[in-house]
Amino acid sequence: MFVPGVQGMALVACGAAVVDRSGAIVAADETFLSLLGLPADDPPGALLALARERPGVAEVLSAAGSGPAELPGRDGAVLEVERVESGGLRLLVLRQRAPVFADDPGAAGALAAVASGIAHDVRNPLNAMALQVALLAEKLSAAPPEVEAERHLGTVRDQIRRVDEAIRRLVDVADPPGPIVDAGSLVRDAAGLLGHEARRRGIALEVDAGRLALEARDPGKLGLLVLGLLAGAIAATPAGGRLLVRAGKEGGRAVVTLERTPGPETPRLPEPLRRAARELAGSLDARRGEGTERVVLSLPGGTAP
């Protein structure tokens, strides 16, 4: 269905649970329980009780095999559910989405894209950990499991590192340590946060940014400005296109350049982004050349090693 002004759907919530063959919950996070309106004090039997009351839940629990489906959520919401079978257990991943409006070119649109990417980068490791922990618990109740236990614990440790890195990127972009900011690191972290969105759209995202220290009047505003510019560039790049982001020093100024495959429309820089650049004593410029479109953010200062 087409809704005027709606650009797409952004992930606003997700949750995961591991259930056994009967549909009883082995482990579940708070978001999973909240999306379905399940009580937190009786997780093992909560989903089975819901299946007896709400049409559609029993079908999802009893369906053979894996794959995506829909599940009725709380207050009539329709939830996406992905099912993964492993070792007699089933991993259920719930997703709730909301529209992103095309006429919102500022921070809201960028943050929606970031939320979707963060949810992906954090959800996948957490889902993997939930499944590994469930399998590990099953093996610990059997014969001596030292080798298998170490393998599962190693996987959990790797996923924890992935979650930690995703959260670090978000914190460093939203609230960079100041007043001296490494613009190169800021660009790399912003690209990491939006990497999932670029991959989802089939865009080759490349980053060329070394260390570039500058004194920012408002480090947090600079982080959101870079994030907004990159999110806008990804949204405007056609599927299968290329986006190159550079950070460097030119003529005594720090310069961030976003160069991409041209889209059907002339590049447009929303006024909130231009205003943010001016408040940082910088400037924004959009140019369209032969076979490329370029957005350039220029800021005072900038020292490369």
Side-chain angles (χ1 to χ4, degrees):
M1 178 179 66
F2 172 75
V3 180
V6 174
Q7 185 178 28
M9 303 295 286
L11 184 69
V12 296
C14 65
V18 176
V19 301
D20 63 19
R21 294 182 185 277
S22 72
I25 295 176
V26 176
D29 61 26
E30 292 182 2
T31 305
F32 182 93
L33 300 175
S34 175
L35 287 173
L36 291 174
L38 300 177
D41 55 352
D42 183 28
L47 195 57
L48 291 171
L50 184 68
R52 293 191 290 268
E53 301 170 1
R54 191 176 300 171
V57 176
E59 287 80 354
V60 170
L61 293 178
S62 61
S66 303
E70 290 187 348
L71 194 65
R74 188 176 54 186
D75 301 326
V78 177
L79 306 172
E80 299 176 11
V81 57
E82 184 177 349
R83 299 164 295 173
V84 180
E85 301 277 357
S86 179
L89 297 174
R90 175 177 288 183
L91 174 66
L92 301 179
V93 181
L94 292 184
R95 301 183 182 94
Q96 183 182 33
R97 298 181 182 272
V100 176
F101 295 92
D103 58 357
D104 180 11
L111 290 177
V114 171
S116 179
I118 280 289
H120 173 271
D121 289 343
V122 172
R123 183 191 67 233
N124 282 356
L126 290 179
N127 290 343
M129 282 190 283
L131 189 56
Q132 293 292 332
V133 167
L135 293 173
L136 183 58
E138 189 176 55
K139 287 181 170 61
L140 286 174
S141 63
E146 289 83 1
V147 175
E148 284 296 311
E150 178 56 34
R151 182 172 66 85
H152 289 300
L153 287 173
T155 300
V156 171
R157 284 192 291 266
D158 289 342
Q159 303 306 321
I160 289 173
R161 282 193 290 268
R162 287 182 58 193
V163 172
D164 183 68
E165 176 62 16
I167 298 301
R168 183 202 62 77
R169 286 175 178 166
L170 180 61
V171 171
D172 284 355
V173 170
D175 187 19
I180 304 300
V181 178
D182 182 356
S185 177
L186 197 62
V187 166
R188 293 192 300 274
D189 284 339
L193 290 171
L194 290 164
H196 169 65
E197 181 69 10
R199 292 189 297 273
R200 187 185 68 82
R201 296 173 57 88
I203 296 169
L205 175 59
E206 302 173 28
V207 178
D208 180 10
R211 187 178 184 279
L212 182 63
L214 60 89
E215 186 171 358
R217 294 184 175 183
D218 188 334
K221 181 171 292 183
L222 175 59
L224 290 178
L225 174 57
V226 170
L227 198 60
L229 288 172
L230 187 54
I234 290 174
T237 303
R242 176 175 175 265
L243 172 59
L244 173 62
V245 188
R246 293 191 182 98
K249 184 178 179 182
E250 296 181 12
R253 295 178 70 84
V255 176
V256 176
T257 304
L258 299 91
E259 187 174 303
R260 63 180 178 84
T261 303
E265 299 180 1
T266 302
R268 179 176 65 90
L269 291 174
E271 179 54 32
L273 296 182
R274 290 186 180 275
R275 184 170 60 251
R278 291 195 298 269
E279 290 172 353
L280 292 166
S283 63
L284 270 177
D285 184 28
R287 308 165 190 168
R288 185 163 191 159
E290 186 175 349
T292 187
E293 291 181 354
R294 181 178 300 172
V295 172
V296 179
L297 168 65
S298 177
L299 298 164
T303 303

